[in-house]
Amino acid sequence: MSNNLRFKTSKFIDETYRVSFKFNNKKYFGFKGDTLASALLANGVHLLGRSFKYHRPRGIMTSGSEEPNAIIQLHDNSSRTEPNVRATEVEIYEGLVASSQNCWPSVNFDVGGINNLLSPILPAGFYYKTFMWPASFWEKYEYFIRKSAGLGKSPKVADPDIYEHNYIHCDVLVIGAGISGIMAAKMAAKNGFKTLLVDEKSHLGGSSIYDNSEFSKINNQITSSWLEKEINEISKLKNLEIKTRTSVAAFHGYNFLLARENLTDHLPINQRENKVRQRLLKIRAKKVITATGSIERPLIFNNNDRPGILLSSSIKKYIDLYGVACGENIILFTNNDTAYETAMSLIQRGIKINAIIDNREQIDSKISYEVEKNNVKIYKAYTVVDTYGYKRINKISIMKLSKDGQTVIGDKTKLNCDCLGISGGWTPAVHLFTQSGGKLKFREEDQVFIPDVYPSDQISIGSCNGDFSLEEIIKNTLFSIKKFLNIENSEYKTIEIVSGLNLSKRNIWLLPSDKPIGKTKSFVDYQNDATSKDIKLALREGFRSIEHVKRYTTTGMGTDQGKLGNMHALGIISETAGTKMGEHGTTTFRPPYTPLTFGTIVGRNVGEFFDIFRRTPIHDWHVENNAKFENVGQWKRAWYYPKNNENMHQAVQRESKSARDSAGILDASTLGKIDIQGTDSSEFLNRVYTNAWSKLAVGKCRYGLMLNEDGMVYDDGVTTRLGENHYLMTTTTGGAANVLGKLEDYLQTEWPELDVYLSSVTDHYATISVCGPNSKKIVSKVIPDLDLSDERFPHMSFKNAKINNIKCRVMRISFTGEHSYEINIQANYGKSVWEKCMKAGKDFNITPYGTETMHLLRAEKGFIIVGQDTDATMTPIDLQMDWIVSKKKFDFIGKRSLYRSDTIREDRKQLVGLLTENPKEILEEGAQIVADVKKSPVEMLGHVTSSYYSPNLKKSIALGVVKGGKNMLGQKLIIPMEDKNINVIVADPVFFDKEGERLNAKL
Amino acid sequence: MFLINCPFCGEREQSEFKAGGEAHIIRPKQPTELSDDEWAEYLFMRKNIKGVQFERWNHVHGCRKWFNMIRDTSNDQIKAIYKMGEKPPVK
Ligand SMILES: [Zn+2]
């Protein structure tokens, strides 16, 4: 490989600063300012990877974020490894390590390349069609497909980098710092708008900043010099913030945009410690100016994907900005004047141009004459019909185009080259505009989609708006920005522009070849290996909508979202189907514009902040006492407390027995608590619960069931009347926020006349429940002043009390069926009162129990858990809880629904108890319940909702919902399991202490 | 993402709000006097318009107040915001 690929560079490359890096285990050198792509090209490396489906060798094709081929794995085998990174966007630094992906065992010899030979049998939709049959073979196919498909490797260890999110508010956001973006930012900032200018590159100025051509001048200066002065000027503006290496990922409605700011990716790894790597900017802009430029179109011809084939504008950028020649014998292939600018840049440095192949018959511009003067052979009205060279292009063959451009004529000529620059004109980068909801229109004369209807206060300027000549860009930018910002004075009084280009173009979406289309491979989507043949096949098979063709052929579905070839796909579709461009619609460009790392998306919400959890005030005690925890909503709740290597079953059996034999203690602080005040509180409760509340005396508690308006059980809990106009409602742990929301909704929107105020007090109180035959003795030791006599403090009542002068509320309520007390105290005293109870209960073997034992104890009593024994299809009648539904009340939420034709059906699923024939057999929760296993198909009657082994009854007990279960008492049913059928008897759901004697027993 | 002008707090991010379905559906005063069909009409039937729609919104992570919004669902433009109990300012 020749050594003189590096030429005199621009000010963006620091030739005094040599940087070493590794690619595919080989060491290379580049300069500070190089991208990985420019540095590899300077070393003569074009082959970077293999294509997705056919594993064809692929090289660098572009010089920016639109790159489809040169996607690599960064830092393989390190915690910073990142797949699918575009080599054209990676700025090199000392120690960078990168490798090819999608190839095995190496990029030079890839086994998957066999797919290329097999390609005649791998057409569009191949996977869908072939591997569907026989179904049993899918497992085998899948193994091979998975192994040979997929791009890159995901990291296996935690990301060591720091990411964050920032909110930015500005008057004007300018996206893209090319010539029009710079002008717009200056005009906005100088006219008093707080302006933010962002650009994805590390430098400002876009492609004009390295445009040193004599053919286009602004105010008699070459473009790059004029622009440099402009940049110099705006960098001093107070009103303007400039962010480089910042790529806008999404443009949402109401001018809300997301951008990724890259802060450390260009630094050597050892300089990144403790620095934020990437920032997700959440930008709210009053006005948005989109100046995202345009992307050069490739040309679609046979074998247009070989390494060494690049966009012509990229060849220009590599030589002008990085000082790198992409080859030593270059051919340019074009349908417009762009390639001639590239030619001039190459000619100036003495790089050989073997030929220019131009689709056009007439070429009439100053720059083309200048190129011709330099003895470059121009083939007019010619096209490339094939290319040669496996890992690097070495030859092309060309033929003359017919008048209509649909066929080739005459003889075939072969030309040697080591690099082919292609230009099919320009496509405005309207991705962000369409993301924001903007509507496009199609401009016939140069076959481009441009912005038409703006959905918010925004504007597109420059080439993303379809202005391609320097005159148009500058003139229209000035005009549009003045109007858009409603400003009089322009910073630009007189601007004189000279340009040597003209805009003529001969657009042929799919260039003809001497071979039949079935024998060609003209790639439309390089990354996904979708060819023109695939698109035509999809149309033959009846696909018409562009969205369907896209999915069938996978065109535009790669990580690059088909930035290069989508327009050609549309063009080929409309040519083949004989319709007008635009009639098929365009595909939708979805955020993000370029892929985001997961780190950027989650920001600081990682580790313990990923999904924050709530701890009760007594949490630390549970931890110190070996509790295992269970997640309930966002809460961490003590699940059980194993002793001496007990397993869960053993611990729960012990806890359950102690609670009934002597005393148990439960942290119930997670129950939702809503403080209700106001003169209409009683009436309000009457309307939201199914039972009557008007007659509940002050100091009494009552259990309530809350329905949705459709009659289904929504939540339950005990509410205490603390005063004449003051209640404390408890809700389920998981339902607290929703219940509060629902109650607020009714108060504000349906019953605004009610004088009721709701406040969530869940976090304000710790709730400690002490239960069991010895609970009274324990509580009397903790609160000696409190009269616990059954006459003065009966079941379902409440007392104010004090512990060491601290006010607390004590309720005598029970979820276990045992005599029990609930102490509610200001949260910060929770742990100390818990410890007091433990100390007071020591002689009574007081046993802390968790949620599992609580569930077991309540199941023994047949108490439901909303959400476990109910789903959103159970009415109180289905739950056999008719007793709680008031017949007298005029109305309550859900009342009318309880006698709809559907809710009064007898064969609804109803809650029943289930007892296994073998008392040792424990059912699985969720198991199906049937009556007849021989019936085909087996009729599913319901399922098991709760199941435990009861240590107090010494048998297995379960609750379940069964169709018509209410009338099945004593009937035998079957629980079919994988290995056996379990016989069960339908029973009353209350298994233990049916008469409630324990609650009222004299202690 | 919308910017929503809460009638009690002012302009806030959409993420602070929760949508609450169609507005101006009044809960019947005497549900027990309705037929199954009439009750079902209130309970289940919603318009779900592409175009100008009257909606309920709740500033759930703010003042917790409910209010009404007139929104064009085809382009997400908010035409008006007004308090509960008030008449729509536009048709
Ligand atoms: Zn508010």
Side-chain angles (χ1 to χ4, degrees):
Chain A
M1 192 58 64
S2 168
N3 290 321
N4 53 359
L5 291 167
R6 183 75 76 165
F7 288 73
K8 191 180 171 339
T9 58
S10 67
K11 63 168 186 145
F12 297 101
I13 300 291
D14 185 353
E15 282 174 76
T16 62
Y17 194 135
R18 228 161 67 119
V19 174
S20 80
F21 65 97
K22 269 187 180 170
F23 179 67
N24 285 340
N25 292 319
K26 198 171 166 210
K27 194 167 179 181
Y28 296 97
F29 291 97
F31 296 126
K32 190 167 187 235
D34 263 327
T35 62
L36 180 57
S38 69
L40 285 171
L41 289 171
N43 284 281
V45 178
H46 274 258
L47 173 63
L48 255 71
R50 294 275 176 162
S51 69
F52 185 64
K53 193 159 124 191
Y54 302 132
H55 287 245
R56 284 168 69 104
R58 290 284 165 80
I60 296 157
M61 223 185 140
T62 73
S63 53
S65 56
E66 68 273 29
E67 176 62 38
N69 287 339
I71 51 179
I72 49 104
Q73 183 98 24
L74 264 186
H75 298 289
D76 207 354
N77 300 323
S78 110
S79 57
R80 284 195 164 85
T81 192
E82 193 179 341
N84 301 337
V85 180
R86 293 157 299 284
T88 50
E89 288 198 300
V90 177
E91 296 173 56
I92 61 164
Y93 46 84
E94 189 62 37
L96 179 144
V97 178
S99 52
S100 298
Q101 53 188 34
N102 200 32
C103 55
W104 184 84
S106 80
V107 70
N108 279 303
F109 175 76
D110 177 57
V111 169
I114 190 113
N115 281 4
N116 190 25
L117 304 175
L118 294 177
S119 65
I121 62 160
L122 282 174
F126 172 73
Y127 292 137
Y128 302 125
K129 288 171 190 163
T130 311
F131 296 126
M132 293 308 291
W133 185 90
S136 59
F137 264 50
W138 170 248
E139 279 176 34
K140 294 184 182 66
Y141 293 137
E142 193 187 16
Y143 174 79
F144 288 104
I145 294 170
R146 295 259 180 260
K147 203 170 156 68
S148 56
L151 295 167
K153 284 177 274 181
S154 54
K156 293 201 169 66
V157 289
D159 188 335
D161 279 314
I162 305 164
Y163 302 82
E164 66 183 22
H165 291 177
N166 261 26
Y167 283 90
I168 295 182
H169 295 262
C170 57
D171 295 329
V172 176
L173 168 69
V174 183
I175 311 166
I179 201 158
S180 53
I182 299 271
M183 290 172 72
K186 178 171 152 184
M187 289 166 78
K190 282 211 162 184
N191 281 281
F193 294 93
K194 189 186 162 206
T195 307
L196 172 65
L197 172 65
V198 300
D199 194 281
E200 60 180 5
K201 301 277 188 320
S202 59
H203 60 268
L204 300 178
S207 58
S208 303
I209 200 65
Y210 52 86
D211 186 2
N212 309 319
S213 152
E214 293 288 335
F215 287 91
S216 49
K217 284 189 172 175
I218 304 172
N219 288 345
N220 216 20
Q221 304 164 46
I222 57 171
T223 310
S224 60
S225 319
W226 181 84
L227 192 55
E228 237 169 81
K229 282 179 206 136
E230 289 292 307
I231 291 170
N232 220 351
E233 195 188 332
I234 64 163
S235 58
K236 292 173 196 138
L237 292 177
K238 259 196 245 146
N239 251 347
L240 177 66
E241 186 180 1
I242 300 171
K243 284 184 181 290
T244 53
R245 299 188 176 102
T246 301
S247 157
V248 173
F251 191 163
H252 295 295
Y254 287 72
N255 284 353
F256 179 71
L257 299 96
L258 298 173
R260 185 239 355 254
E261 185 180 16
N262 233 324
L263 298 159
T264 64
D265 278 357
H266 59 291
L267 300 175
I269 301 281
N270 60 15
Q271 287 175 32
R272 299 186 190 179
E273 280 301 298
N274 299 322
K275 287 182 188 151
V276 172
R277 180 189 172 203
Q278 292 175 347
R279 224 177 246 151
L280 186 71
L281 308 176
K282 301 178 176 183
I283 306 168
R284 266 297 170 189
K286 292 205 179 88
K287 288 168 171 286
V288 178
I289 298 169
T290 306
T292 45
S294 50
I295 297 171
E296 194 172 19
R297 287 181 190 172
L299 291 162
I300 312 299
F301 54 98
N302 189 24
N303 287 316
N304 59 344
D305 67 325
R306 299 191 189 281
I309 301 180
L310 288 92
L311 297 179
S312 98
S313 62
S314 295
I315 295 175
K316 180 178 190 305
K317 182 172 177 181
Y318 284 119
I319 193 68
D320 283 349
L321 187 90
Y322 303 102
V324 174
C326 293
E328 293 167 292
N329 182 23
I330 296 174
I331 295 179
L332 298 170
F333 178 26
T334 187
N335 68 8
N336 68 96
D337 266 4
T338 305
Y340 295 85
E341 290 186 290
T342 307
M344 284 315 299
S345 286
L346 296 171
I347 288 164
Q348 276 163 19
R349 288 170 179 83
I351 299 163
K352 185 185 168 192
I353 301 172
N354 195 5
I356 293 181
I357 320 298
D358 199 319
N359 288 161
R360 297 173 294 181
E361 282 175 45
Q362 302 281 327
I363 307 159
D364 182 25
S365 59
K366 263 195 212 159
I367 194 162
S368 65
Y369 297 134
E370 188 67 25
V371 170
E372 242 175 339
K373 256 193 248 166
N374 282 279
N375 298 321
V376 174
K377 166 95 175 143
I378 299 173
Y379 291 86
K380 293 179 187 173
Y382 266 73
T383 185
V384 176
V385 292
D386 206 351
T387 68
Y388 310 87
Y390 187 54
K391 288 176 206 162
R392 171 88 183 255
I393 190 168
N394 58 29
K395 216 179 288 151
I396 61 169
S397 53
I398 61 170
M399 289 176 82
K400 192 147 178 97
L401 279 168
S402 63
K403 271 263 177 277
D404 64 0
Q406 295 303 304
T407 51
V408 282
I409 46 178
D411 294 331
K412 191 148 64 173
T413 310
K414 286 196 180 181
L415 299 167
N416 291 325
C417 65
D418 61 356
C419 174
L420 177 68
I422 54 177
S423 176
W426 295 85
T427 299
V430 293
H431 309 69
L432 294 175
F433 167 77
T434 56
Q435 276 183 25
S436 76
K439 300 268 179 296
L440 298 167
K441 67 178 170 209
F442 189 67
R443 193 167 69 192
E444 277 298 331
E445 64 243 48
D446 56 351
Q447 305 276 301
V448 292
F449 281 105
I450 51 171
D452 188 18
V453 183
Y454 295 100
S456 62
D457 199 357
Q458 55 162 301
I459 194 172
S460 292
I461 54 166
S463 63
C464 74
N465 194 38
D467 294 340
F468 295 121
S469 74
L470 194 59
E471 297 101 307
E472 276 179 342
I473 289 173
I474 291 179
K475 203 179 74 201
N476 292 343
T477 294
L478 287 177
F479 176 79
S480 317
I481 295 299
K482 270 199 220 171
K483 202 172 145 203
F484 180 61
L485 298 179
N486 194 18
I487 49 178
E488 292 288 321
N489 277 336
S490 169
E491 301 308 317
Y492 304 95
K493 293 288 182 217
T494 52
I495 290 199
E496 271 177 48
I497 299 132
V498 181
S499 170
L501 270 65
N502 89 34
L503 292 173
S504 84
K505 177 165 119 178
R506 186 182 188 187
N507 197 80
I508 304 170
W509 293 116
L510 173 60
L511 291 158
S513 166
D514 54 329
K515 288 182 185 163
I517 183 151
K519 293 260 173 7
T520 63
K521 269 205 198 82
S522 311
F523 289 90
V524 177
D525 183 314
Y526 297 85
Q527 197 180 93
N528 272 349
D529 276 347
T531 64
S532 57
K533 194 166 59 184
D534 293 327
I535 292 173
K536 292 203 168 208
L537 175 70
L539 289 163
R540 271 208 310 281
E541 293 187 354
F543 291 90
R544 282 297 175 271
S545 151
I546 175 66
E547 293 289 351
H548 291 158
V549 173
K550 168 180 164 174
R551 278 157 187 80
Y552 194 55
T553 60
T554 71
T555 303
M557 291 179 70
T559 59
D560 60 336
Q561 292 195 45
K563 291 188 179 76
L564 294 185
N566 271 351
M567 280 302 291
H568 304 81
L570 285 168
I572 293 168
I573 289 171
S574 72
E575 270 176 9
T576 310
T579 52
K580 281 181 109 178
M581 275 294 271
E583 259 178 36
H584 294 268
T586 52
T587 54
T588 316
F589 297 107
R590 293 193 170 80
Y593 178 67
T594 50
L596 293 174
T597 58
F598 279 111
T600 313
I601 295 166
V602 295
R604 299 268 176 163
N605 300 321
V606 291
E608 62 176 308
F609 302 111
F610 179 66
D611 188 13
I612 49 165
F613 54 83
R614 298 167 81 181
R615 303 171 175 85
T616 77
I618 310 163
H619 184 86
D620 290 347
W621 190 94
H622 305 318
V623 173
E624 286 156 23
N625 286 273
N626 199 32
K628 298 281 177 257
F629 288 90
E630 164 178 50
N631 297 330
V632 182
Q634 280 186 312
W635 289 99
K636 287 278 171 202
R637 290 200 74 177
W639 194 10
Y640 60 97
Y641 302 79
K643 266 186 181 174
N644 312 322
N645 300 322
E646 281 174 334
N647 62 24
M648 175 164 149
H649 177 73
Q650 291 162 336
V652 169
Q653 294 291 305
R654 172 180 53 75
E655 290 171 14
S656 304
K657 195 140 186 0
S658 303
R660 295 225 190 274
D661 289 351
S662 178
I665 182 168
L666 173 83
D667 180 0
S669 308
T670 64
L671 285 184
K673 296 181 269 292
I674 300 170
D675 188 273
I676 303 174
Q677 299 192 41
T679 52
D680 292 320
S681 298
S682 302
E683 172 59 19
F684 178 65
L685 290 173
N686 257 337
R687 296 186 191 187
V688 300
Y689 279 129
T690 61
N691 47 350
W693 289 77
S694 330
K695 287 184 185 138
L696 184 72
V698 173
K700 295 288 180 193
C701 317
R702 183 164 287 172
Y703 174 77
L705 206 56
M706 203 182 282
L707 310 184
N708 264 332
E709 207 66 274
D710 62 7
M712 305 303 157
V713 171
Y714 183 68
D715 205 81
D716 68 346
V718 170
T719 295
T720 303
R721 190 166 196 177
L722 300 172
E724 183 58 30
N725 297 318
H726 191 188
Y727 289 84
L728 181 69
M729 173 187 281
T730 59
T731 73
T732 58
T733 298
N738 290 336
V739 170
L740 181 68
K742 179 185 157 98
L743 298 184
E744 276 286 1
D745 187 351
Y746 274 90
L747 265 183
Q748 289 178 34
T749 67
E750 299 293 352
W751 308 320
E753 71 280 6
L754 293 187
D755 175 40
V756 177
Y757 301 89
L758 307 174
S759 306
S760 166
V761 292
T762 305
D763 291 307
H764 304 62
Y765 294 97
T767 305
I768 298 161
S769 171
V770 181
C771 78
N774 286 314
S775 57
K776 187 187 271 189
K777 289 177 196 143
I778 295 165
V779 173
S780 71
K781 278 167 86 176
V782 177
I783 320 174
D785 300 338
L786 186 61
D787 182 353
L788 295 178
S789 67
D790 290 332
E791 298 72 39
R792 304 289 296 279
F793 198 177
H795 181 54
M796 295 309 263
S797 64
F798 133 84
K799 291 265 182 262
N800 281 311
K802 277 186 177 174
I803 301 175
N804 290 359
N805 248 351
I806 306 301
K807 281 188 204 160
C808 65
R809 292 172 182 151
V810 184
M811 281 82 167
R812 207 185 136 189
I813 51 179
S814 173
F815 192 41
T816 60
E818 292 299 316
H819 192 112
S820 57
Y821 300 90
E822 252 184 45
I823 304 168
N824 286 272
I825 192 154
Q826 196 178 306
N828 50 331
Y829 297 108
K831 191 171 171 232
S832 105
V833 171
W834 175 278
E835 282 164 346
K836 268 184 194 302
C837 292
M838 287 304 296
K839 201 173 154 200
K842 202 168 176 224
D843 298 338
F844 305 102
N845 184 33
I846 190 169
T847 302
Y849 65 92
T851 49
E852 193 62 21
T853 293
M854 174 185 84
H855 287 175
L856 191 163
L857 294 173
R858 65 88 206 178
E860 288 179 338
K861 287 292 295 173
F863 295 151
I864 58 156
I865 290 188
V866 174
Q868 177 166 342
D869 301 298
T870 73
D871 51 26
T873 66
M874 301 294 287
T875 70
I877 320 300
D878 297 336
L879 294 170
Q880 304 216 42
M881 290 173 78
D882 313 46
W883 55 270
I884 203 169
V885 181
S886 165
K887 305 277 179 304
K888 287 184 201 144
K889 278 203 292 184
F890 173 69
D891 192 16
F892 57 82
I893 297 172
K895 178 177 168 104
R896 176 61 186 81
S897 291
L898 294 180
Y899 56 94
R900 290 179 58 238
S901 57
D902 185 56
T903 46
I904 53 172
R905 280 189 298 115
E906 285 291 312
D907 62 343
R908 289 178 63 83
K909 285 182 185 171
Q910 290 144 358
L911 187 80
V912 293
L914 298 169
L915 290 171
T916 47
E917 259 182 12
N918 170 4
K920 293 240 149 41
E921 185 105 63
I922 305 169
L923 298 176
E924 257 181 50
E925 288 175 359
Q928 293 292 320
I929 302 171
V930 306
D932 183 357
V933 281
K934 293 201 184 74
K935 198 172 162 186
S936 180
V938 177
E939 192 191 354
M940 303 297 181
L941 295 180
H943 66 276
V944 179
T945 59
S946 296
S947 172
Y948 306 91
Y949 184 81
S950 160
N952 300 299
L953 294 160
K954 299 202 170 49
K955 66 179 179 192
S956 153
I957 56 167
L959 298 172
V961 292
V962 178
K963 277 185 194 165
K966 240 188 244 187
N967 298 320
M968 287 185 170
L969 213 62
Q971 215 168 301
K972 198 165 104 179
L973 292 173
I974 299 162
I975 316 283
M977 301 301 292
E978 209 172 358
D979 51 346
K980 63 184 166 188
N981 292 327
I982 302 170
N983 292 331
V984 295
I985 307 288
V986 177
D988 188 294
V990 185
F991 301 101
F992 185 77
D993 185 28
K994 282 195 172 54
E995 314 306 322
E997 284 164 7
R998 299 175 71 92
L999 274 179
N1000 304 311
K1002 295 268 176 235
L1003 299 179
Chain B
M1 254 224 299
F2 312 163
L3 268 185
I4 297 174
N5 195 4
C6 172
F8 306 94
C9 308
E11 212 166 60
R12 297 287 191 279
E13 292 274 338
Q14 186 188 343
S15 55
E16 293 185 14
F17 297 84
K18 193 176 96 177
E22 198 177 319
H24 303 299
I25 295 175
I26 299 159
R27 189 175 188 273
K29 286 274 173 277
Q30 297 186 319
T32 45
E33 290 182 3
L34 301 182
S35 68
D36 268 14
D37 284 349
E38 286 165 333
W39 180 245
E41 183 68 28
Y42 159 72
L43 203 53
F44 302 120
M45 305 316 271
R46 299 294 182 267
K47 293 202 191 90
N48 196 22
I49 296 162
K50 181 178 180 182
V52 176
Q53 180 163 284
F54 295 70
E55 301 176 331
R56 288 154 24 97
W57 282 75
N58 184 214
H59 194 185
V60 64
H61 299 295
C63 64
R64 276 171 39 193
K65 284 281 194 185
W66 284 89
F67 56 88
N68 294 314
M69 180 192 288
I70 305 175
R71 180 174 68 105
D72 188 333
T73 60
S74 67
N75 59 14
D76 281 341
Q77 276 191 14
I78 297 171
K79 307 266 179 206
I81 282 174
Y82 52 104
K83 291 179 184 172
M84 279 294 159
E86 287 179 358
K87 286 237 159 62
V90 289
K91 282 208 172 143

